[in-house]
Amino acid sequence: MSDSHVLDLAGLGAGPFNLSIAALADSHLPRLATRFFERRRDPAWHPGLMLPDTHLQTGFLKDLVTAVAPDSRHSFLRYLVEHHRFYRFLNAELGTVSRAEFSDYLGWAARRLDNVALGEEVREVRLDARGFRLRTDADDYRARHLCLGTGKRPWLPDFAEALRGPHCLHAAEIARSRRDFNERRVVVVGGGQSGADIFLNALRGHWGQPRELHWISRRRNFEPLDETAFTNEYFTPDYTRSFHALPREIREREVAAQKLASDGITPAALQTLYRELYHRFDVLGEPRWARLFPHREAIALERSGLGFTLTTTHGLTGGKERFNADVIVFATGFCSHLPDCLADLAPRLQRDAHGELVLGPHFEASWDGPTTHRIYAVNAGRHSHGIAEPQLSLMAWRSATILNHVAGHQAFDLQEDDGPIEWHPTAEPRWVQAI
């Protein structure tokens, strides 16, 4: 086996999270042998959700590298300059980047990185006395450590999985092929950002004019993302480190309480949607063919002729309602999974009560293998590192944390000044004098 096939770190998948590690390793740790394997030849970020006028929920500086390496040649600003649109981007005064532009940025970065192997899928990973042995479509490699970054799978309720098809689908598939909603009864299930994007595009006739359009959410209302300044302190390294040190039951409680800090709908999207509904049905006087149904939990789905009948339970009354649909789209999020190539190692990985990997402070998975060969995981630590873990916000910091651990020294300076909030009790007592 040649030296180029012996790696310090092998990455499974080259989505944005592993791509961030690849970019930082390329520009700041050239002596660290890394390679990230991506089965797709032409990388795209959530192509099935690539709808018109959809944007990220984070700012453009939270890219692959800038938070820890602003001098890297793989930054979003470098991408803008090389594409000759730096000034036009600034003049557009965009608070967030469109999904289309961010996906193009990721593809640009992936294609210029020598340590990213596009179109090369890892078929098998095994452990022997000398470390991990990887078999890909093209060759064999040996790696000291692994990093799992193959993403999550679209999740459908069990009652919908058996009916999955072109007219009963997950939101992640909506843009993969041509859709025809013309004169059809369309139901969207799921009250997060993806549900909002799909409902708004359907309302605007992106797939043709529906006869009926219903949006169902089990949340109490169509609730906004909490993106205020103090809430955004959850998305900082200081809070994430503090969170990981908490007992498991407290972490569980806090993640549940912070849901709208990461999983709400942007206020801009809600305002746009409300204005569209007002103009179309109140000002123009169209018959109200589009309606919103909060506080309903979908509990059953069955065939009804060529269409479907969805049964829901009302959160206030407990009463059942039924919705007839020709097309039903589930914007119900994603679930974790391990790639098939890890079948031999999967039983050796420790899981928590949610079936998620148990991660240490450096995003290393707990397993029964030797400590000299570690398995890192990205986008797998919501219950261990907090609500920022599945988001882009701390992507570069997490990548640098992993690379420092792999390298065995502080290649990236991750120290920060104290923030305005003290999350935990201080060691010294504080006395407040009553007036």
Side-chain angles (χ1 to χ4, degrees), residues 275-289:
R275 287 172 176 169
E276 293 253 353
L277 292 167
Y278 173 74
H279 183 71
R280 188 183 289 268
F281 301 114
D282 293 288
V283 177
L284 299 182
E286 291 185 24
R288 199 171 289 276
W289 51 267

Side-chain angles (χ1 to χ4, degrees), residues 167-183:
H167 299 119
C168 174
L169 63 147
H170 190 274
E173 305 160 27
I174 190 73
R176 288 189 178 275
S177 58
R178 293 178 63 85
R179 307 286 171 190
D180 182 11
F181 288 0
N182 195 49
E183 282 300 311

Side-chain angles (χ1 to χ4, degrees), residues 239 243-258 352-354 382-384:
Y239 180 78
F243 184 91
H244 185 270
L246 293 170
R248 180 187 58 79
E249 62 275 12
I250 296 178
R251 295 200 306 263
E252 301 275 348
R253 182 192 69 197
E254 293 302 296
V255 163
Q258 296 166 5
D352 64 15
H354 302 276
R382 182 181 179 88
H383 292 91
S384 61

Side-chain angles (χ1 to χ4, degrees), residues 71-234:
D71 56 336
S72 170
R73 66 189 186 95
H74 305 301
S75 70
F76 182 75
L77 290 178
R78 179 70 172 261
Y79 160 84
L80 289 176
V81 170
E82 290 199 5
H83 285 77
H84 312 295
R85 59 173 184 259
F86 175 80
Y87 293 104
R88 292 196 299 281
F89 179 85
L90 293 184
N91 292 341
E93 296 185 354
L94 297 168
T96 57
V97 184
S98 70
R99 279 186 170 271
E101 187 167 30
F102 194 73
S103 180
D104 190 60
Y105 159 62
L106 295 177
W108 167 83
R111 287 186 289 271
R112 70 207 303 260
L113 283 165
D114 292 335
N115 60 350
V116 173
L118 297 175
E120 187 172 355
E121 183 173 5
V122 177
R123 298 295 183 178
E124 184 181 55
V125 181
R126 292 187 177 276
L127 179 73
D128 61 28
R130 292 186 294 164
F132 298 106
R133 193 175 187 97
L134 290 75
R135 179 176 61 83
T136 76
D137 292 324
D139 220 327
D140 289 342
Y141 298 83
R142 184 173 295 283
R144 189 159 54 99
H145 306 298
L146 298 178
C147 189
L148 311 183
T150 50
K152 296 178 180 284
R153 285 179 176 167
W155 180 83
L156 285 182
D158 291 341
F159 59 76
E161 189 65 54
L163 297 175
R164 194 170 192 159
H167 299 119
C168 174
L169 63 147
H170 190 274
E173 305 160 27
I174 190 73
R176 288 189 178 275
S177 58
R178 293 178 63 85
R179 307 286 171 190
D180 182 11
F181 288 0
N182 195 49
E183 282 300 311
R184 300 194 176 212
R185 301 164 300 174
V186 178
V187 172
V188 179
V189 179
Q193 185 69 46
S194 296
D197 291 337
I198 291 168
F199 183 83
L200 182 58
N201 275 276
L203 181 68
R204 290 173 168 174
H206 179 63
W207 299 285
Q209 178 65 51
R211 178 163 49 127
E212 290 181 353
L213 176 61
H214 294 160
W215 185 13
I216 295 170
S217 172
R218 69 179 174 182
R219 303 181 189 189
R220 289 173 171 81
N221 201 344
F222 296 90
E223 298 171 320
L225 180 75
D226 184 353
E227 51 186 353
T228 51
F230 287 104
T231 296
N232 282 337
E233 283 289 317
Y234 292 147

Side-chain angles (χ1 to χ4, degrees), residues 1-12 25 29-37 114-117 120 122 125 130-136 139-147 372-374 376 403 406-407:
M1 186 176 292
S2 68
D3 290 345
S4 64
H5 288 57
V6 179
L7 308 170
D8 293 301
L9 180 66
L12 309 187
L29 287 167
R31 294 184 180 179
L32 199 69
T34 63
R35 194 168 182 85
F36 295 79
F37 301 93
D114 292 335
N115 60 350
V116 173
E120 187 172 355
V122 177
V125 181
R130 292 186 294 164
F132 298 106
R133 193 175 187 97
L134 290 75
R135 179 176 61 83
T136 76
D139 220 327
D140 289 342
Y141 298 83
R142 184 173 295 283
R144 189 159 54 99
H145 306 298
L146 298 178
C147 189
T372 50
H373 301 298
R374 295 186 290 272
Y376 300 90
L403 286 172
V406 171

